[in-house]
């Protein structure tokens, strides 16, 4: 099927063909843009999630720190509210007072030291006796801390003068009425238990710090890479001693973003900080995102494949629609041709039959006396009409056999010159008054063919030349041998054939000149084409100066000399 003969494409399909790729590109673009925006938005969400985790860890640690300080708070409260302590202080019984302090120190393993101060701020008694306790509370930050309403002080961490390796937490409480305290109780609390439970905490690539009220690092656990002193200079001092909880994003000395969660303990008023490097905190989810992003590649590939298949589906639909349209057009054309053929055949068969009937009726009329020459002429006319009728019927039978594939080829080496002679003998009555010029080589033109069918081809070509050329004009037949083919050309002096007619000249029922003055069924050339193609040859037509040439070629058989050799 030639594409130039197909109808134009459906405009609706053209719009769909443009719309589908555009929609596909839009979907891919929107998907990529959505993925890009989602990654950015999700990063902020993951940062906030990491900050919330750090805050939760800081709050939990602050509550644990409160629980660790509960022992020393209990001891201080019991001493401050103890009636025996007041009586011992009033009686001046230092022995019982020291024994009471010793009992409390021995009761709490982490309680290192207890001391009592009087209303004047001077040291009354201590246990154990050590140079750690100041002789007076004057100029101590915890003594200045107490104001009406404040009953407990847990402050900074100090190092004992006689034991530099031991760090203790300073705790103090006034005793007596809150409005007029009778003195102060001072306690030193070891940090061993605090450090012990901190070491059990696990922060993924993060660091937990505990700061006292002065901003000093009491303890830390986790990665040493997250150094507190590398943050903004005022951050630790700003957070130390503050109350409350929260999160913030800080920068270290290298410019890296640090995710900070902080919370203050209720009793020691210490601050718990949890630090994580932003990229480190996002590493687990980054790994997941990278794995998920790999899914975009097969998804995009599937989307492209689906789009490509959809486009191909539309192309195939268009092609099938065009083929169906062309097939329907051919069927309509064939139907019209068959209708024309039936009308023409009824005329072609009725005319010779009517002529024969008139001639025979006239000869059989008893009232007419025919001379011999007149009777002979009438019989000759009836014979010619009968030959024409037989030729029409022969074409119909040949075409029906060809379409039914009932014409089995009997190919063998045949001399094309002999076949031409036999065909001209069959057409002797039609060739009267026509000069015939034959140009053939002296040696045989051997072709591998079925002689009967090739004779039919030659008869149809010569009949066509007679029909479409002026009366009494010559017909030339030319035969020659090429390297692998044998070629025969039939030339008449008829008018040229238009180029568009040449392309359809060998179709069934097609007639280049459908005039009623020229009889025919439109099957002769179609029969010629079918027979020649069945032999593996070619057939065509071309205009020549002063006429038209029909030619066909057949596979050549070996020459006699070659066969004998």
């Amino acid at each position: 099927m030639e594409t130039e003969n197909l109808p134009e494409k459906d405009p609706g399909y053209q719009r769909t063909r443009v719309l589908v790729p555009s929609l596909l590109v839009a979907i891919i673009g929107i998907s990529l843009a959505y993925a890009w925006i989602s990654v950015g938005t999700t990063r902020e969400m993951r940062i906030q999630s990491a900050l919330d985790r750090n805050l939760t860890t800081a709050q939990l640690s602050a509550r644990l720190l409160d629980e660790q300080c509960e022992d020393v708070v209990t001891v201080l409260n019991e001493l401050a509210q103890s009636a025996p302590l007041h009586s011992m202080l009033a009686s001046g019984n230092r022995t019982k007072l020291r024994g009471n302090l010793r009992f409390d120190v021995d009761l709490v393993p982490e309680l290192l030291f207890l001391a009592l101060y009087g209303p004047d701020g001077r040291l009354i008694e201590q246990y154990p006796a050590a140079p750690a306790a100041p002789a007076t509370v004057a100029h101590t930050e915890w003594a200045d801390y107490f104001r009406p309403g404040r009953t407990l002080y847990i402050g900074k961490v100090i190092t004992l003068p006689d034991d530099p390796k031991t760090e203790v937490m300073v705790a103090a409480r006034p005793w007596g009425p809150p409005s007029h305290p009778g003195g102060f109780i001072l306690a030193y609390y070891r940090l061993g238990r605090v450090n012990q439970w901190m070491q059990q905490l696990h922060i993924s690539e993060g660091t937990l710090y505990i700061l006292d009220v002065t901003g000093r690092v009491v303890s830390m656990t986790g990665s040493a890479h997250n150094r507190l002193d590398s943050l903004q200079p005022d951050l630790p001092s700003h957070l130390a001693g503050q109350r409350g909880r929260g999160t913030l994003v800080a920068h270290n000395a290298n410019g890296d973003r640090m995710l900070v969660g902080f919370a203050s303990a209720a009793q020691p008023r210490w601050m718990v900080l949890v630090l994580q490097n932003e990229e480190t905190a996002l590493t687990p989810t980054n790994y997941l995102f990278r794995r998920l992003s790999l899914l975009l590649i097969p998804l995009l590939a599937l989307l492209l494949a689906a789009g490509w298949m959809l486009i191909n589906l539309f192309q195939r639909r268009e092609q099938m629609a065009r083929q169906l349209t062309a097939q329907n057009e051919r069927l309509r054309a064939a139907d019209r041709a068959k209708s024309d053929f039936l009308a023409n055949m009824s005329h072609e068969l009725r005319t010779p039959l009517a002529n024969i009937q008139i001639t025979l009726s006239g000869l059989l009329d008893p009232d007419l006396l025919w001379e011999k020459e007149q009777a002979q002429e009438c019989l000759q006319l009836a014979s010619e009409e009968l030959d024409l009728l037989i030729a029409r019927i022969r074409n119909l039978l040949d075409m029906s056999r060809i379409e039914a594939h009932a014409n089995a080829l009997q190919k063998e080496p045949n001399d094309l010159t002999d076949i031409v002679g036999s065909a001209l003998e069959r057409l002797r009555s039609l060739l009267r008054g026509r000069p015939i010029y034959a140009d053939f080589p002296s040696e045989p033109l051997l072709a591998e063919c079925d002689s009967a069918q090739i004779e039919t081809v030659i008869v149809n070509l010569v009949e066509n030349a007679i029909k479409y050329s002026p009366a009494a004009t010559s017909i030339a037949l030319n035969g020659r041998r090429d390297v692998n083919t044998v070629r025969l050309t039939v030339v008449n002096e008829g008018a040229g054939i238009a180029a568009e007619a040449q392309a359809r000249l060998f179709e069934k029922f097609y007639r280049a000149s459908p005039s009623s003055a020229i009889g025919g069924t439109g099957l002769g050339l179609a029969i010629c084409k079918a027979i020649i193609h069945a032999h593996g040859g070619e057939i065509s037509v071309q205009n020549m100066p002063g006429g038209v040439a029909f030619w066909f070629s057949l596979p050549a058989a070996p020459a006699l000399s070659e066969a004998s050799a």
Side-chain angles (χ1 to χ4, degrees), residues 414-422 440-441 443-445:
N414 289 287
D415 187 356
L416 193 59
T417 307
D418 294 340
I419 299 175
V420 170
S422 177
F440 288 86
E443 66 275 6
L445 289 176

Side-chain angles (χ1 to χ4, degrees), residues 143-166:
D144 297 335
Y145 170 81
F146 292 110
R147 294 193 301 270
R150 293 183 177 179
T151 59
L152 179 65
Y153 169 83
I154 300 178
K156 66 180 182 179
V157 175
I158 64 172
T159 302
L160 296 179
D162 57 345
D163 187 3
K165 295 183 178 180
T166 302

Side-chain angles (χ1 to χ4, degrees), residues 16 77 86 123 154 190 227-228 238 318 320 323 326 382 386 417 451 459 517 530 561:
T16 305
N77 289 335
H86 294 175
L123 178 64
I154 300 178
R190 291 190 186 94
R227 295 176 57 85
L228 185 64
H238 172 72
E318 180 210 20
M320 294 177 64
Q323 290 176 348
L386 187 59
T417 307
S451 60
V459 167
S561 58

Side-chain angles (χ1 to χ4, degrees), residues 12 15 39 59 89 102 106 161 188 195 213 216 218 230 240 283 299 307 355 361 387 402 422 431 452 522 547 549:
R15 291 191 296 270
V39 168
Q59 289 179 290
L89 287 172
R102 179 180 180 179
D106 293 341
Y188 288 169
N195 291 330
V213 292
R216 178 183 176 182
V218 175
S230 69
T283 296
L299 288 177
N355 292 335
S361 298
D387 290 339
I402 289 172
S422 177
L431 292 174

